[in-house]
Amino acid sequence: MTSHQTTQTMKPATAAKKLGVYLEATPAEFQEGVVSRAELSALQADPPEWLQELRRNGPHPRPVVAAKLGISISGLARGGVTEPLTTEQIEELKAECPGWLRQERATQVEVRKEAVRIKEKNAARADRPDQPRS
């Protein structure tokens, strides 16, 4: 008896998320079909022009916008940014650097410092097995 493997597929929204692009900006054939793992790998290895263009100019999904601005997704929401932004819009925001963006960047710096502190604290505990864990 031979085992028959089925091709694993994903919804377009999942594939767009993995590719880091805004689904609504992708071509209709991408949005309406399903994407196999092999197709996703091919898109990642050799992106077609539409994918290169989306990655370069957007519109970008919130995680990409947040990363380009150096803030969290929650920070975007607190700043009132709820729509996808193009690269040009992101650059304009960076140039303007409104108060909310400065505040969110400062918050992000503190969050990263705290994460490093906790990681170092846990590493130090791991090096001393006689210390109780809390």
Side-chain angles (χ1 to χ4, degrees), residues 69-71 94 97 101-109:
L69 291 173
I71 63 175
K94 284 180 177 179
C97 203
L101 181 56
R102 284 192 302 276
Q103 177 61 43
E104 291 301 331
R105 284 180 168 172
T107 299
Q108 195 66 18
V109 166

Side-chain angles (χ1 to χ4, degrees), residues 72-124:
S72 68
I73 295 171
S74 299
L76 276 180
R78 286 189 293 269
V81 178
T82 56
E83 298 297 317
L85 300 178
T86 63
T87 300
E88 184 179 332
Q89 291 169 316
I90 292 168
E91 292 305 318
E92 287 172 9
L93 256 179
K94 284 180 177 179
E96 291 171 13
C97 203
W100 69 266
L101 181 56
R102 284 192 302 276
Q103 177 61 43
E104 291 301 331
R105 284 180 168 172
T107 299
Q108 195 66 18
V109 166
E110 292 304 313
V111 166
R112 289 182 181 135
K113 282 182 187 175
E114 181 65 5
V116 168
R117 186 191 69 78
I118 290 170
K119 185 177 180 180
E120 289 171 349
K121 181 179 175 183
N122 290 340

Side-chain angles (χ1 to χ4, degrees), residues 5-127:
Q5 283 189 310
T6 59
T7 303
Q8 289 185 326
T9 59
M10 62 192 81
K11 294 177 182 177
T14 304
K17 187 174 182 179
K18 289 179 182 281
L19 292 169
V21 295
Y22 183 57
L23 177 63
E24 283 75 13
T26 61
E29 60 270 9
F30 181 86
Q31 293 180 37
E32 295 164 0
V34 293
V35 181
S36 71
R37 289 195 181 271
E39 290 169 332
L40 179 67
S41 294
L43 287 170
Q44 290 171 325
D46 186 23
E49 183 58 37
W50 65 265
L51 182 54
Q52 292 177 31
E53 180 68 19
L54 275 179
R55 287 178 170 169
R56 188 172 32 253
N57 298 317
H60 303 288
R62 287 180 305 150
V64 174
V65 173
K68 287 179 179 273
L69 291 173
I71 63 175
S72 68
I73 295 171
S74 299
L76 276 180
R78 286 189 293 269
V81 178
T82 56
E83 298 297 317
L85 300 178
T86 63
T87 300
E88 184 179 332
Q89 291 169 316
I90 292 168
E91 292 305 318
E92 287 172 9
L93 256 179
K94 284 180 177 179
E96 291 171 13
C97 203
W100 69 266
L101 181 56
R102 284 192 302 276
Q103 177 61 43
E104 291 301 331
R105 284 180 168 172
T107 299
Q108 195 66 18
V109 166
E110 292 304 313
V111 166
R112 289 182 181 135
K113 282 182 187 175
E114 181 65 5
V116 168
R117 186 191 69 78
I118 290 170
K119 185 177 180 180
E120 289 171 349
K121 181 179 175 183
N122 290 340
R125 277 192 191 145
D127 290 342

